[in-house]
Amino acid sequence: MTPPRLQRALAASFDELSARVPATIGVAIASQGEVYSLGRWRLGVAWSTIKVPLAIAALRSDRSRAQDLVIKAITESDNAASEELWSQLGEPENAARRMQAVISAAGDSCTVVESRRRRAGFTAFGQTQWALVQQAQFAANLPGIPNAAGVVDLMHRLVPEQRWGLAAKDVAAKGGWGPGVVDDYLVRQFGIVPTEFGHLGVALAADARILQTGVDVINQITEWLFGNLPELSQV
């Protein structure tokens, strides 16, 4: 458990960052069953971060059919490849259950994978509501679940245009982004951050006016995270 004095210092530092950036932000850090969160942003659409459990579920279902599509879905965040993986999992309700089994196996028993296409032009699964604390817990436990090792390796091998935030620090990471229903743009990312005491599951989010602003803010949150990593490792 993080000592109260350290919690207050980290919260004050993150509040200072929140006041400087042009976005509503949040971060969650998970380790050894403990989850610590900061910031006002807590829950929202998963966007392409959900492609990680999708990829694992597809590999479990039929590795030979899924492998090439998984590479594109993770390293390039390719939407067409992801839609094909989703279709390989069966009818939408069944596909959602298979993805949810992966998420549950990685310690997140709360998130419910969306099976219905809630917004025209966007995937059903991408509209899943995924809380930062639950996503951080998922990230912390991800390396230990069956069929995850190859996907985690791909999260280290993102194409250059995907290498921002945690990925720019050579962390196994996956980002996601998309427009809100009003005048905003959500950018989020999660990753597995190594420390001298083991690894942390980390989830970040920035709700901004445009995509590039959100990416820039995620980069700033990442710098804050790595600047405070010794303290955050004590969560």
Side-chain angles (χ1 to χ4, degrees):
M1 181 71 69
T2 308
R5 182 177 298 179
L6 180 54
Q7 287 187 14
R8 290 193 294 270
L10 288 169
S13 176
F14 196 79
D15 285 346
E16 291 177 5
L17 174 64
S18 298
R20 293 199 307 268
V21 299
T24 301
I25 63 175
V27 62
I29 303 99
S31 175
Q32 298 177 348
E34 298 286 342
V35 187
Y36 182 61
S37 65
L38 294 164
R40 291 172 51 202
W41 199 98
R42 302 294 179 90
L43 170 69
V45 176
W47 292 117
S48 288
T49 61
I50 203 74
K51 291 173 182 174
V52 172
L54 169 64
I56 296 169
L59 289 171
R60 288 180 176 181
S61 176
D62 190 331
R63 176 173 292 273
S64 62
R65 289 179 66 203
Q67 185 63 51
D68 290 345
L69 294 167
V70 163
I71 293 170
K72 296 185 70 174
I74 300 299
T75 64
E76 303 174 28
S77 205
D78 185 276
N79 288 327
S82 300
E83 288 272 30
E84 179 61 26
L85 291 172
W86 173 254
S87 70
Q88 288 180 10
L89 294 176
E91 293 299 316
E93 294 79 7
N94 190 48
R97 283 194 295 270
R98 289 184 173 190
M99 287 177 61
Q100 196 157 335
V102 174
I103 292 172
S104 297
D108 175 1
S109 60
C110 298
T111 300
V112 178
V113 176
E114 180 58 66
S115 62
R116 294 169 292 177
R117 197 178 292 272
R118 294 287 189 175
R119 294 176 64 184
F122 299 105
T123 63
F125 52 90
Q127 294 298 298
T128 298
Q129 294 286 315
W130 206 351
L132 279 183
V133 293
Q134 300 297 336
Q135 191 171 67
Q137 192 69 63
F138 172 83
N141 293 326
L142 180 60
I145 70 168
N147 304 103
V151 175
V152 171
D153 179 62
L154 291 173
M155 292 165 66
H156 280 287
R157 295 162 47 194
L158 305 186
V159 296
E161 56 267 31
Q162 300 281 329
R163 298 188 66 81
W164 40 268
L166 298 171
K169 299 290 189 180
D170 293 325
V171 166
K174 181 71 189 79
W177 56 89
V181 294
V182 291
D183 191 17
D184 66 320
Y185 215 99
L186 174 62
V187 181
R188 58 187 304 177
Q189 188 181 60
F190 76 87
I192 305 163
V193 179
T195 77
E196 61 179 312
F197 304 108
H199 68 266
L200 301 175
V202 175
L204 319 172
D207 194 346
R209 290 293 300 276
I210 61 174
L211 170 59
Q212 190 56 54
T213 298
V215 171
D216 291 343
V217 171
I218 292 292
N219 287 333
Q220 292 179 68
I221 300 173
T222 299
E223 292 301 326
W224 178 89
L225 178 84
F226 275 77
N228 291 279
L229 201 55
E231 293 80 10
L232 292 167
S233 298
Q234 299 180 46
V235 298

